[in-house]
């Protein structure tokens, strides 16, 4: 036991603003933020998302205006989600070199090379059924996402984004082996500098509802619980993170953020890799509603 009051006075370290600043262990900064953008085809589009007040679906031209404004405010990174005009069973527009995300990547890196461009490597926005990959009929007659068939599509999408200038690709489909498949494809294409931010610990959640409005990606049937994590089994977080790191992930992510602070703390204590926390659409909309 050390000295007690009045010898010990913890307030001594708080009287000076300069000392508080020097001793601060947590330093919130705009430099740590990543801003999402929902990009669709067309021109002059700025369509407010009803369930996410203050957020918009933008065409590449209006999105570029937004990126310029954010850059002026010191925001260092954007995360791009694409919304195609045409969707199909496998989401092939995701790897179309002329799609909105790829065009915006090229424009940002040409005009604002210091802006960090991250792309969502998933298929739910691009498939006509709203699931995150190619569907297959199970032995019981139900439809589910074919894990291994989807890996090729995710890899093609990631390579297309990286070729367009994305600094980081962020696979969010929660397919087993997706990080390894993407890393292998990137390296085979000479894109060894492209980083991977894995949605390693992504829980199934109703808090994604507003995002599905924004990205027009609500499943036409069923849900995503066969591939996104079960909130009752948080212990699987370590296995998911370890698997992605082995496969080549550079950054791990937990999603949603605010409702899984215990998981964030546990992962931070166990792994040395950088850790991202995704405050999802439902959290955003709840804060806006409370305000």
């Amino acid at each position: 036991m050390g000295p007690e009051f009045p010898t010990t006075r913890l307030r001594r370290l708080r009287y000076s603003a300069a000392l508080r600043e020097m001793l601060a262990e947590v330093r919130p900064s705009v430099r740590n933020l990543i801003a999402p953008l929902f990009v669709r085809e067309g021109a002059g589009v700025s369509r407010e998302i009803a369930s996410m007040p203050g957020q918009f679906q933008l065409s590449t031209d209006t999105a570029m205006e937004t990126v310029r404004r954010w850059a002026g405010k010191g925001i260092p990174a954007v995360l791009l989600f694409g919304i195609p005009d045409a969707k199909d069973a496998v989401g092939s527009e995701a790897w179309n070199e002329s799609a909105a995300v790829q065009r915006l990547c090229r424009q940002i890196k040409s005009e604002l090379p210091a802006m960090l461009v991250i792309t969502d490597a998933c298929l739910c926005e691009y498939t006509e059924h709203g699931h995150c990959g190619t569907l297959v009929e199970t032995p019981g007659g139900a439809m589910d996402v074919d894990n291994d068939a989807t890996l090729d599509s995710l890899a093609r999408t990631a390579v297309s984004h990286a070729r367009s200038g994305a600094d980081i690709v962020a696979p969010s489909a929660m397919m087993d082996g997706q990080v390894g498949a993407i890393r292998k494809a990137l390296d085979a294409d000479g894109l060894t500098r492209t980083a991977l931010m894995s949605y390693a610990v992504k829980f199934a959640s109703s808090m994604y509802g507003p995002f599905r409005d924004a990205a027009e990606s609500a499943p036409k049937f069923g849900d995503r619980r066969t591939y996104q994590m079960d909130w009752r089994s948080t212990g699987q977080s370590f296995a998911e993170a370890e698997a992605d790191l082995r496969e080549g992930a550079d950054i791990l992510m937990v999603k949603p953020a605010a409702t899984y602070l215990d998981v964030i703390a546990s992962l931070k204590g166990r792994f040395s890799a950088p850790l991202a926390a995704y405050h999802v659409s439902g959290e955003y909309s709840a804060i806006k509603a409370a305000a």
Side-chain angles (χ1 to χ4, degrees):
M1 295 289 290
E4 297 182 0
F5 179 84
T7 304
T8 297
R9 291 179 179 265
L10 298 176
R11 289 184 61 194
R12 291 191 188 106
L13 301 181
R14 303 174 194 147
Y15 286 121
S16 164
L19 189 56
R20 291 197 301 272
E21 181 66 23
M22 181 182 294
L23 298 178
E25 297 174 17
V26 177
R27 298 179 183 274
S29 169
V30 68
R31 305 307 302 176
N32 299 123
L33 299 180
I34 300 169
L37 269 176
F38 302 98
V39 191
R40 64 175 312 121
E41 302 298 331
V45 177
S46 182
R47 185 179 304 167
E48 188 166 20
I49 301 158
S51 56
M52 293 179 67
Q55 299 299 313
F56 299 82
Q57 291 181 343
L58 304 170
S59 50
T60 54
D61 54 343
T62 53
M64 194 64 214
E65 294 173 4
T66 299
V67 175
R68 292 188 195 105
R69 187 172 68 254
W70 286 350
K73 294 179 180 294
I75 293 175
V78 291
L79 174 57
L80 307 183
F81 298 89
I83 308 164
D85 285 340
K87 305 188 180 195
D88 59 25
V90 297
S92 59
E93 277 296 297
W95 57 86
N96 181 349
E97 300 290 341
S98 300
V101 165
Q102 284 84 336
R103 296 200 313 274
L104 184 57
C105 278
R106 291 191 287 269
Q107 189 170 354
I108 294 173
K109 298 311 292 185
S110 174
E111 183 177 333
L112 298 169
M115 176 66 72
L116 190 69
V117 177
I118 308 168
T119 57
D120 178 70
C122 195
L123 303 169
C124 59
E125 307 104 298
Y126 298 91
T127 56
E128 59 195 11
H129 45 75
H131 280 280
C132 296
T134 302
L135 296 182
V136 64
E137 187 173 350
T138 67
M143 300 301 292
D144 193 18
V145 176
D146 186 326
N147 189 95
D148 294 8
T150 299
L151 296 182
D152 179 64
S153 297
L154 294 172
R156 294 178 70 180
T157 300
V159 168
S160 176
H161 290 174
R163 285 175 177 170
S164 300
D167 300 288
I168 301 174
V169 293
S172 61
M174 289 299 287
M175 295 295 113
D176 291 334
Q178 64 182 11
V179 171
I182 290 172
R183 185 72 269 165
K184 181 178 179 180
L186 290 171
D187 290 352
D189 207 68
L191 298 163
T192 57
R193 293 178 60 179
T194 305
L196 264 163
M197 179 168 67
S198 172
Y199 289 62
V201 182
K202 179 179 178 180
F203 291 92
S205 175
S206 60
M207 297 187 75
Y208 304 146
F211 169 86
R212 291 170 185 168
D213 291 341
E216 299 179 6
S217 62
K220 295 296 188 293
F221 65 90
D223 53 43
R224 297 185 174 128
R225 296 184 185 184
T226 66
Y227 43 106
Q228 294 178 357
M229 289 179 59
D230 190 325
W231 64 270
R232 299 168 299 179
S233 301
T234 57
Q236 294 177 7
S237 304
F238 293 136
E240 292 281 0
E242 286 171 348
D244 284 1
L245 288 173
R246 284 197 306 270
E247 291 175 21
D250 300 290
I251 304 171
L252 300 173
M253 181 195 291
V254 175
K255 178 181 181 183
T259 48
Y260 291 97
L261 296 177
D262 57 334
V263 175
I264 292 172
S266 296
L267 288 174
K268 190 65 177 175
R270 182 156 177 169
F271 301 105
S272 60
L275 183 62
Y278 197 137
H279 287 281
V280 300
S281 59
E283 294 173 286
Y284 171 89
S285 295
I287 291 169
K288 292 288 285 188

